Amino acid sequence: MSQEESPPIAGGSGLFDGFEGYRTPQPGDYKEIATSGLIALDANVLLNLYRYNEATRNDLMSLMELVSARLWVPHQAMEEFWRNRETAANGAWASTQEAIEALEKARRATEAAMSMWAKKTALADDPRDEVLGELGPALDRAVRSLNAQAEKDRVKGAQDTALDPIVTRLARILEGRVGPPLPDEDYATALEEAERRIQAKLPPGYRSGYKDNAYRADDYLIWEQLLRAAANAGCDALFVTGDTKDDWWRRNRGRALGPRPELVEEFRRRTGRMLFMLQPQEFLRDIGSAINANISPTSAVEVERVDHLLKATPETNERSVIQARLDAAMQRVYEVAEDFVSGT
């Protein structure tokens, strides 16, 4: 019997059978998801709409509108959105004021330092006034720049949900697309399972074990609700999240390659379908490309930039975004002072 005629080995399987979590998704996978799958959004995807610039915000929401028939938000993710919405909406503007206060503090400190330096070196008033004359306009320009950018990017009317354009637009996009909470008995069981996974360091959610008890189960609750929704829908699912902790992602040299294989296997076991995951910037690029959406390449860059800043100091969120602009302004102040000193 030739090799071509040899019968298959009993019980044999293919290369990816049982190892689907290591397969690299292809454009066709995303096209199928966008047309017939389930696209689940994490709370951070919605909250970060308040942190992006206006153009990026519009691109992301336009893409959400194009795939709205496939969108779904776990009830727990929506609860997190409402819990944190006001902080996110107010954060950029409040952080701008903090940055301006820091600049004014730097102005006062610089003036005091220059006066002290002038006294100790018996420097005449003219050289001291010259450098202060350079620093003052530089600080004024920095303050104007921060105010202008904050005014451009802030969401006007965010204090009133009836006037908030993000809430108004999301209400239309997500009408009928938010999942139900778990029944009371199932919720209690899920809390126990979340705690078990935290203690055993099983994904997802064990990296949230440091949180207050009221919120440490959030990630697992989202996961359980996603599993149930995909099983009921009988389709593959894409989870879009800005959470890059390694209890969600399989990583190589720091790069997130896809969902952890354990999650892919649990998803397949519970739903019989395939799990995909993307970060928001990848959602813009890959899903946008799959459906030929008119998305600016700069929007994905802006999403990645802001998300990187937020992750750098997660406890201060919006402040870290403004801090980058403040650092640039202060660098100019230091350059002016250094030029003056080196020239004296």
Side-chain angles (χ1 to χ4, degrees):
M1 180 180 294
S2 68
Q3 182 174 351
E4 290 78 7
E5 296 173 340
S6 298
I9 298 174
S13 60
L15 180 67
F16 287 109
D17 293 333
F19 303 96
E20 291 85 355
Y22 294 95
R23 174 180 169 272
T24 303
Q26 300 299 304
D29 296 317
Y30 295 130
K31 185 172 184 178
E32 185 173 350
I33 283 283
T35 55
S36 60
L38 186 72
I39 301 177
L41 304 179
D42 201 357
N44 47 59
V45 179
L46 306 180
L47 289 168
N48 283 351
L49 291 169
Y50 290 98
R51 296 161 180 148
Y52 302 142
N53 63 39
E54 185 177 12
T56 298
R57 183 162 57 236
N58 284 334
D59 268 358
L60 184 52
M61 297 188 82
S62 293
L63 181 58
M64 290 166 59
E65 286 170 338
L66 290 173
V67 296
S68 60
R70 313 313 312 170
L71 287 184
W72 184 78
V73 179
H75 186 274
Q76 186 63 35
M78 186 55 66
E79 181 178 312
E80 289 183 38
F81 169 77
W82 284 114
R83 185 199 309 155
N84 296 292
R85 187 194 74 87
E86 292 175 351
T87 299
N90 295 334
W93 184 256
S95 294
T96 299
Q97 303 314 303
E98 290 180 9
I100 291 173
E101 289 175 10
L103 284 171
E104 294 298 340
K105 183 177 180 180
R107 184 200 303 271
R108 294 190 295 271
T110 301
E111 291 174 350
M114 289 299 299
S115 295
M116 183 64 69
W117 176 51
K119 290 179 181 179
K120 288 184 176 181
T121 59
L123 188 70
D125 290 343
D126 288 348
R128 181 200 63 191
D129 293 342
E130 182 182 342
V131 71
L132 291 177
E134 289 283 344
L135 292 173
L139 286 166
D140 291 339
R141 286 194 297 272
V143 169
R144 288 196 298 272
S145 176
L146 287 170
N147 270 324
Q149 189 65 46
E151 181 63 27
K152 178 181 177 182
D153 293 340
R154 77 185 180 107
V155 180
K156 298 175 178 63
Q159 301 308 308
D160 186 338
T161 57
L163 301 177
D164 183 343
I166 290 179
V167 168
T168 301
R169 198 168 174 183
L170 283 178
R172 293 195 301 268
I173 296 171
L174 299 178
E175 178 64 32
R177 313 306 302 174
V178 178
L182 294 174
D184 290 346
E185 183 176 343
D186 292 351
Y187 178 75
T189 300
L191 291 182
E192 293 177 0
E193 175 63 9
E195 190 60 33
R196 184 188 74 83
R197 294 193 182 208
I198 289 172
Q199 298 303 323
K201 290 185 167 38
L202 297 174
Y206 68 82
R207 289 292 301 275
S208 298
Y210 68 91
K211 292 183 179 180
D212 180 89
N213 287 337
Y215 305 133
R216 60 197 275 124
D218 285 359
D219 281 6
Y220 178 73
L221 292 173
I222 288 173
W223 175 242
E224 177 62 26
Q225 291 168 4
L226 174 57
L227 287 169
R228 295 183 181 211
N232 289 336
C235 62
D236 293 345
L238 166 66
F239 183 42
V240 184
T241 180
D243 186 342
T244 56
K245 295 193 297 293
D246 57 14
D247 57 346
W248 281 106
W249 296 89
R250 177 172 66 89
R251 292 182 168 279
N252 184 24
R253 296 183 178 181
R255 181 187 173 197
L257 301 178
R260 287 183 56 146
E262 303 99 310
L263 299 182
V264 175
E265 173 57 25
E266 182 178 2
F267 192 90
R268 186 196 62 77
R269 188 173 66 251
R270 290 275 301 271
T271 71
R273 309 297 299 194
M274 186 66 186
L275 170 70
F276 300 91
M277 282 174 51
L278 289 174
Q279 297 176 51
Q281 65 270 21
E282 298 167 333
F283 175 63
L284 276 169
R285 286 193 293 254
D286 295 339
I287 298 300
S289 176
I291 63 174
N292 297 316
N294 184 23
I295 303 296
S296 171
T298 60
S299 290
V301 174
E302 167 70 1
V303 168
E304 188 167 14
R305 184 186 70 83
V306 171
D307 285 6
H308 176 74
L309 289 170
L310 293 174
K311 292 180 184 67
T313 51
E315 72 281 1
T316 53
N317 278 343
E318 296 81 6
R319 188 178 300 120
S320 60
V321 180
I322 299 300
Q323 186 65 46
R325 295 170 183 156
L326 175 60
D327 289 345
M330 290 305 299
Q331 181 62 34
R332 175 56 185 154
V333 173
Y334 298 143
E335 288 171 357
V336 170
E338 185 176 291
D339 290 345
F340 176 82
V341 172
S342 62
T344 53

